[in-house]
Amino acid sequence: MTKQPDATFRDGGLKATIWKNESEKGHYYSTKLSRSYQDKEGEWQETSYLRDNDLLRSGSLLTRAHDHVREQKQQREPSQTQDPAQNGDDRKADFAKQRSNPAQSQGRSQEQGRAR
C-alpha cells in the first residue's frame, strides 16, 4: 500500500504536493514543489528546477499549500493555532493595516510623539 499525498495543487506543469508525516512528537507536513516536462524522447520527467517564468506561479502554489496546511492544523489542533500571538497573526494584521492606510498609521505615530 503506497502512501497518498494529503493534497496536490497544480498550475500547468507545476505541482505542489503536500505530505502528512508522523513522528514521535506528532504529525507534521512537508511540501514538494516540482515541474513536469517532456524530454527529447517525448517521455515525461519531473524536476525541482524552475524556469524564470515558473517563479510567480510557484509562489501562488506555495501560498495555496501553506493555506491548506494551516487549515489542517487548525482543524486538528485548534487551541495551538488560534492564539494570534503564537503564530504571528497580530503582527501580520498590524502590518496589513499600516499598508492599507499609511496616513492613519503615520498620524498615530505623530500623535504619540506629541503626547510625550
Side-chain angles (χ1 to χ4, degrees):
M1 183 172 150
T2 58
K3 184 178 174 183
Q4 296 294 315
D6 193 62
T8 302
F9 299 102
R10 296 178 186 270
D11 185 351
L14 297 175
K15 178 171 66 170
T17 308
I18 303 169
W19 299 92
K20 181 181 175 188
N21 303 287
E22 299 290 334
S23 74
E24 297 141 4
K25 296 180 181 180
H27 66 273
Y28 64 96
Y29 294 87
S30 58
T31 302
K32 178 182 178 184
L33 181 63
S34 60
R35 180 176 60 85
S36 299
Y37 68 97
Q38 281 185 310
D39 63 16
K40 293 177 184 178
E41 291 79 33
E43 299 291 322
W44 284 99
Q45 304 292 329
E46 194 172 271
T47 183
S48 59
Y49 291 97
L50 304 176
R51 299 171 300 185
D52 57 343
N53 61 347
D54 296 327
L55 298 177
L56 285 176
R57 292 184 306 132
S58 297
S60 175
L61 282 176
L62 291 173
T63 298
R64 291 171 60 193
H66 171 268
D67 292 346
H68 173 81
V69 169
R70 186 170 175 187
E71 287 172 11
Q72 296 304 306
K73 285 183 173 183
Q74 284 179 343
Q75 289 175 4
R76 290 185 176 97
E77 306 160 5
S79 62
Q80 291 182 3
T81 55
Q82 299 279 334
D83 180 9
Q86 182 178 1
N87 60 23
D89 283 347
D90 54 346
R91 286 175 280 163
K92 291 177 192 173
D94 287 344
F95 181 73
K97 286 179 191 174
Q98 290 174 359
R99 289 191 54 110
S100 66
N101 194 350
Q104 184 179 7
S105 64
Q106 287 175 354
R108 211 175 333 137
S109 59
Q110 289 174 355
E111 288 172 16
Q112 290 171 349
R114 286 186 211 133
R116 292 183 190 159

